[in-house]
Amino acid sequence: MGIFDKIKHAIFGEAVAAPVAASVTPAPSPTAAAPNVVSAATPQPASAASSSQAAAIDIVPLLDAAVKKSGQKLDWRHSIVDLMKAVGMDASLVERRELATELGFKGDPHDTATMNTFLHKALMKRLAENGGKVPAELLD
């Protein structure tokens, strides 16, 4: 599992698991439906339910809660280091360089300011592509 996947799981993990389990409603008993009539309560396939629910996962309250839980003053909206700390990950330079490789950073890995800015923007974009609801101002 790569660094991005660890971050995604740390943010989405429980938020994805709960709605998917609750999304399938049981079908009524065969005696409750008339013969040859398709019931409106037919369960949705799990894949359709999970994909529609995954698109609705708002990262803001999840990350705000993670910051509060951490007990630290962290600015996840602007700092990749703070975001990683908020979700309980190692925000070391080694980890960020590995994430930079995963996300396609082409710049100088020794220019940490530029790399960190790239990482934050690329991470927000990738979270949005993977079912996260990311505020527009964080996608610019």
Side-chain angles (χ1 to χ4, degrees), residues 39-51:
S39 171
T42 302
Q44 245 187 340
S47 61
S50 63
S51 65

Side-chain angles (χ1 to χ4, degrees), residues 40-99:
T42 302
Q44 245 187 340
S47 61
S50 63
S51 65
S52 66
Q53 299 231 333
I57 297 173
D58 190 352
I59 70 164
V60 172
L62 297 173
L63 287 170
D64 285 345
V67 168
K68 187 174 183 177
K69 185 178 176 182
S70 79
Q72 301 176 57
K73 187 174 182 170
L74 301 172
D75 183 10
W76 70 264
R77 287 173 175 84
H78 300 100
S79 169
I80 187 68
V81 172
D82 285 0
L83 188 148
M84 291 174 79
K85 286 180 181 180
V87 298
M89 292 188 61
D90 177 7
S92 70
L93 183 56
V94 171
E95 292 288 301
R96 287 180 283 128
R97 284 185 177 152
E98 185 175 332
L99 180 60

Side-chain angles (χ1 to χ4, degrees), residues 93 97 100 104-116 118:
L93 183 56
R97 284 185 177 152
F105 180 64
K106 302 293 185 209
D108 179 1
H110 298 288
D111 180 359
T112 57
T114 300
M115 183 180 73
N116 287 347
F118 167 85

